[in-house]
């Protein structure tokens, strides 16, 4: 008779999945370190967390600037309401929690307290899309759909550590509210190989190609670049257009990509409803461009 050992229960760190490939270059906690560097130059920068500093890389800022960090506990509505009050008096808050809690649980506070009055509050949402094994209670697969209709709100979905490090000061400089889909922990470093620079509201063509154009955002840009390299071996010439800013969308770049005879494929870490695919498709449709858009989501 054989016995089966009980399965080891997954720990928190194991359930927060890493999407880095084995042996891939990574940067540890790029958001936390970028925010810390910015705070050393700008005393008005403050950080807040809803009991998730360690899991949003806010702990780096907390440890360096304990007098400018505010632990709000598991109270996301208070987190965003407090951040709004801080912005009202001239501070520049970065408020971090999981994406699902910032959007599903505290949407009314984000919309009415922050977005409607156009305050400089930077909402940082970790575990976007399918980047955790916790299940649907923690998987923010519809946050873009929820927030794209929110007035005045800028939405950024970074690809890698390079994107995050460059986005943080740009978001602080943006006068209105922002939402960042955060990649945390050991984040792949990819875009430094493509002469890339993050520019708020702008897409970047990372590869040119005659046959197909992959319009991607977030971590899916890394996958788009990998797919393009594999297809090259099959003599398929693939362009990759990285769209780090979902809103406002760089419609000029999207239309330049669509106004050719290439197949247009969108890639996003989000449901097919209400995210990048529909933003691209509506841009193409409103411009009267008869291009087929194939969504991967």
């Amino acid at each position: 008779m054989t016995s089966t050992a009980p399965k080891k229960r997954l720990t928190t760190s194991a359930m927060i999945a890493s999407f880095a490939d084995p042996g891939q270059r990574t940067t540890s906690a790029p958001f936390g370190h970028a925010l810390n560097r910015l705070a050393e130059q700008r005393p008005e920068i403050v950080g807040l967390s809803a009991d998730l500093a360690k899991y949003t890389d806010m702990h780096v800022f907390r440890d360096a600037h304990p007098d400018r960090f505010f632990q709000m506990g598991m109270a996301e509505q208070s987190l965003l309401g407090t951040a709004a009050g801080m912005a009202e008096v001239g501070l520049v808050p970065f408020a971090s929690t999981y994406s699902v809690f910032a959007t599903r649980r505290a949407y009314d506070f984000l919309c009415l307290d922050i977005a409607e009055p156009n305050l400089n509050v930077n909402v940082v949402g970790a575990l976007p899309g399918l980047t955790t094994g916790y299940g649907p209670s923690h998987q923010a697969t519809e946050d873009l759909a929820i927030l794209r209709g929110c007035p005045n709100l800028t939405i950024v979905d970074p690809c890698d550590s390079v994107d995050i490090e460059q986005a943080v000061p740009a978001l602080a400089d943006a006068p209105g509210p922002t939402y960042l889909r955060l990649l945390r922990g050991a984040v792949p470093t990819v875009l430094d190989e493509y002469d890339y620079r993050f520019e708020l509201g702008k897409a970047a063509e990372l590869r040119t190609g005659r046959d197909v154009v992959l319009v991607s955002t977030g971590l899916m840009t890394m996958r788009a670049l990998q797919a393009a390299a594999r297809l090259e071996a099959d003599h398929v010439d693939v362009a990759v257009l990285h769209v780090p800013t979902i809103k406002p969308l760089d419609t000029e770049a999207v239309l330049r990509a669509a106004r050719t005879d290439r197949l247009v494929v969108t890639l996003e870490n989000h449901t097919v409803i209400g995210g990048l695919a529909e933003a691209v498709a509506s841009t193409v449709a409103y411009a009267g461009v008869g291009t087929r858009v194939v969504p991967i989501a």
Side-chain angles (χ1 to χ4, degrees):
M1 183 175 177
T2 59
S3 62
T4 304
K7 278 189 176 180
K8 183 182 177 184
R9 190 169 177 228
L10 289 175
T11 62
T12 298
S13 58
M15 294 296 282
I16 300 176
S18 171
F19 58 92
D21 295 327
Q24 187 174 31
R25 286 187 304 132
T26 61
T27 299
S28 177
F31 165 72
H33 289 293
L35 187 63
N36 183 34
R37 287 192 296 271
L38 184 66
E40 289 173 353
Q41 304 165 14
R42 298 180 56 176
E44 71 275 19
I45 298 290
V46 293
L48 304 87
S49 182
D51 201 33
L52 289 170
K54 178 180 177 182
Y55 300 109
T56 59
D57 292 344
M58 183 63 79
H59 67 287
V60 177
F61 175 88
R62 176 198 66 197
D63 295 347
H65 304 280
D67 56 329
R68 290 155 64 182
F69 171 75
F70 300 87
Q71 176 57 269
M72 303 306 299
M74 292 190 218
E76 291 78 14
Q77 296 173 348
S78 294
L79 170 78
L80 297 186
T82 300
M86 290 177 168
E88 288 274 19
V89 297
L91 298 173
V92 179
F94 281 77
S96 70
T97 183
Y98 288 163
S99 293
V100 286
F101 303 150
T103 53
R104 294 182 198 155
R105 190 169 295 176
Y107 173 78
D108 202 38
F109 287 72
L110 199 162
C111 182
L112 291 180
D113 288 358
I114 294 172
E116 285 281 3
N118 202 24
L119 296 175
N120 187 355
V121 175
N122 304 283
V123 180
V124 181
L127 304 188
L130 299 179
T131 51
T132 173
Y134 280 132
S137 66
H138 285 62
Q139 291 166 339
T141 53
E142 76 283 19
D143 57 330
L144 299 180
I146 292 170
L147 293 183
R148 277 181 59 221
C150 203
N152 302 315
L153 184 67
T154 294
I155 301 173
V156 172
D157 194 4
C159 164
D160 72 341
S161 64
V162 175
D163 244 358
I164 293 169
E165 289 170 351
Q166 296 182 11
V168 167
L171 296 179
D173 287 339
T178 69
Y179 172 71
L180 174 71
R181 296 184 100 209
L182 178 66
L183 306 174
R184 47 85 51 204
V187 179
T189 301
V190 176
L191 295 178
D192 59 339
E193 299 179 12
Y194 293 89
D195 192 28
Y196 170 82
R197 180 137 200 96
F198 175 85
E199 188 177 351
L200 197 62
K202 295 295 183 182
E205 187 178 59
L206 303 180
R207 281 182 60 121
T208 59
R210 298 182 306 273
D211 303 319
V212 182
V213 55
L214 304 180
V215 182
S216 58
T217 190
L219 64 87
M220 290 303 289
T221 290
M222 184 177 77
R223 301 304 181 208
L225 291 167
Q226 293 170 336
R230 288 190 185 186
L231 288 166
E232 191 173 18
D234 293 326
H235 309 291
V236 180
D237 199 15
V238 179
V240 175
L241 180 68
H242 174 43
V243 184
T245 307
I246 301 291
K247 182 190 173 196
L249 186 69
D250 188 348
T251 55
E252 291 184 8
V254 168
L255 290 174
R256 279 197 304 271
R259 285 191 171 117
T260 67
D261 58 358
R262 298 176 296 182
L263 175 66
V264 177
V265 180
T266 63
L267 300 90
E268 62 193 299
N269 180 29
H270 183 267
T271 175
V272 72
I273 298 170
L276 176 68
E278 289 193 356
V280 169
S282 63
T283 296
V284 170
Y286 290 148
V289 178
T291 299
R292 182 188 176 204
V293 176
V294 178
I296 294 177

